[in-house]
């Protein structure tokens, strides 16, 4: 039986990541210089992989993160189902101590299993999972695409991994992420297995400090 290989990455760094500003699905930020460097390093490390298709969200930071592969002429599809969670009224705002408490309480609510609760003016994990279903079904309906690259966003990626690996959504924070990290998964026809978990080896050269590792708000953008 052939194995479908899925390379799943989070987008590279943006100025909003650095500034602690919530992006979500409503802020269509571009990569900054460090984000472009991360994208180039990932491309240099994996350009030998014979990807059959590149899937991204509709947001520029995800598309720009795979630009090197697109310039090779690889087929590319954008799907709104891969967009980041809608963070509602918090999108475009800098995190404040008050909002720290709000986010902490909301994330704890989700971890407690109440994943149908929406952020104010935005989405819940269950709503994000529902819009991802069509994308998952599309990808799995194409056995001819044996090796694919998917670029998306941190919170949405956690939700997608829960769905692919049959974890309850309350467990999504078990899946760590940083800018331009890689999850590699194999699909055998009835189940996914993780071969690489939040892998950053492609970014091993000297670089700017990884803010995702030190910024407690990074998980929400």
């Amino acid at each position: 039986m052939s194995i479908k290989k899925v390379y799943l990455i989070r987008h590279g760094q943006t100025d909003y990541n650095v500034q602690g500003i919530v992006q979500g699905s409503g802020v269509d930020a571009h990569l900054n210089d460090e984000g472009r460097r991360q994208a180039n390093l990932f491309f240099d490390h994996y350009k030998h992989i014979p990807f059959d298709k590149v899937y991204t969200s509709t947001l520029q930071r995800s598309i720009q993160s795979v630009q090197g592969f697109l310039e090779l002429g690889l087929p590319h599809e954008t799907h709104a189902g891969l967009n980041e969670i809608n963070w509602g009224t918090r999108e475009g705002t800098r995190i404040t101590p008050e909002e720290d408490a709000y986010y902490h309480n909301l994330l704890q609510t989700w971890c407690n299993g109440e994943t149908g609760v929406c952020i104010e003016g935005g989405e819940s994990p269950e709503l994000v999972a529902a819009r991802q279903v069509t994308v998952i079904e599309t990808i799995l309906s194409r056995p001819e695409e044996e090796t694919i690259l998917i670029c998306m966003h941190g919170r949405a990626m956690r939700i997608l991994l829960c769905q692919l690996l049959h974890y309850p959504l309350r467990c999504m924070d078990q899946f760590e992420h940083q800018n331009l990290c890689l999850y590699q998964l194999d699909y055998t026809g009835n189940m996914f297995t993780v071969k690489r978990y939040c892998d950053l080896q492609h970014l091993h050269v000297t670089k700017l400090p990884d803010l995702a590792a030190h910024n407690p708000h990074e998980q929400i953008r």
Side-chain angles (χ1 to χ4, degrees), residues 19-91:
Q19 296 165 9
I21 296 175
V22 180
Q23 294 174 105
S25 61
V27 176
D28 197 8
H30 290 240
L31 299 185
N32 61 14
D33 288 343
E34 172 63 4
R36 287 188 289 272
R37 192 187 75 89
Q38 292 169 339
N40 288 336
L41 287 171
F42 181 83
F43 174 73
D44 288 342
H45 200 84
Y46 289 101
K47 60 187 177 184
H48 67 285
I49 300 295
F51 292 114
D52 296 301
K53 179 73 66 66
V54 179
Y55 292 87
T56 68
S57 76
T58 64
L59 301 171
Q60 287 302 308
R61 58 190 183 273
S62 71
I63 297 170
Q64 291 171 356
S65 296
V66 296
Q67 190 59 43
F69 298 96
L70 303 186
E71 290 175 357
L72 294 178
L74 294 178
H76 172 219
E77 289 184 16
T78 62
H79 290 269
L82 296 175
N83 285 1
E84 180 60 301
I85 192 171
N86 183 336
W87 288 108
T89 58
R90 268 62 182 181
E91 292 189 345

Side-chain angles (χ1 to χ4, degrees), residues 24 28 30 65 79 88 112 114 122 140 147 151 153 182 194 201 203:
D28 197 8
H30 290 240
S65 296
H79 290 269
N112 290 341
E114 298 180 59
L140 296 185
T147 307
C151 184
H153 310 265
L182 166 69
V194 178
Q201 66 174 336
L203 305 180

